[in-house]
Amino acid sequence: MNNKFQYRFLLSRDEAKKHWLDIRRSLGSWLNETRRAQELNLVDVADSLSLPITTLDELESGDGKISLDRLLYVCRFYGVALDISLKTFDDVNYNRDDEHAAAQMFRENRPKEQEDVK
């Protein structure tokens, strides 16, 4: 079945990339400042966390990507709590009629063997 529904992103691909790069750089700067405030060097932290030095260096420079569990692991090592704030964009249209129509179209067109057992 061809699904005619296409998700429309809130940001363009270029805007999203720039946004995440800014976030990674801010996070990297914070990681670097936290390490230095605790008078730790890169080699000791990397050894303690069993991470390659290059990985930790890339994270601190904002060039590397970090998973949430790895970030939690690093934060725990530094003895800090991670506070994540989720926010919405003010100019977003939250009308989900298209999504509901696509879900309905999918339900109506799926093969018989995939229908819910009643």
Side-chain angles (χ1 to χ4, degrees):
M1 175 186 106
N2 280 339
N3 188 351
K4 295 184 169 90
F5 172 74
Q6 181 179 359
Y7 185 76
R8 291 182 303 275
F9 291 97
L10 304 177
L11 298 173
S12 72
R13 184 176 293 248
D14 290 339
E15 289 172 334
K17 281 183 180 180
K18 182 184 178 316
H19 179 71
W20 284 113
L21 182 59
D22 290 345
I23 290 172
R24 283 202 323 258
R25 286 189 177 145
S26 295
L27 180 60
S29 176
W30 177 83
L31 288 170
N32 182 281
E33 290 169 11
T34 303
R35 178 179 56 78
R36 290 177 185 267
Q38 295 183 15
E39 298 180 355
L40 299 168
N41 68 42
L42 200 61
V43 174
D44 291 340
V45 173
D47 285 345
S48 296
L49 295 174
S50 300
L51 292 174
I53 296 168
T54 54
T55 299
L56 194 56
D57 186 46
E58 287 174 354
L59 293 177
E60 287 189 4
S61 67
D63 294 331
K65 295 179 181 178
I66 188 167
S67 65
L68 182 57
D69 23 333
R70 182 168 282 175
L71 179 58
L72 290 168
Y73 183 61
V74 172
C75 287
R76 181 177 294 159
F77 176 80
Y78 289 141
V80 296
L82 181 62
D83 181 23
I84 299 175
S85 173
L86 301 175
K87 62 182 178 178
T88 59
F89 297 99
D90 292 334
D91 59 347
V92 174
N93 177 3
Y94 292 101
N95 182 339
R96 298 291 184 242
D97 290 342
D98 289 346
E99 288 87 342
H100 294 294
Q104 182 63 32
M105 185 174 57
F106 176 78
R107 282 192 296 276
E108 291 170 357
N109 293 311
R110 67 181 166 190
K112 292 282 185 207
E113 61 271 5
Q114 290 183 355
E115 288 185 7
D116 297 331
V117 177
K118 295 182 182 178

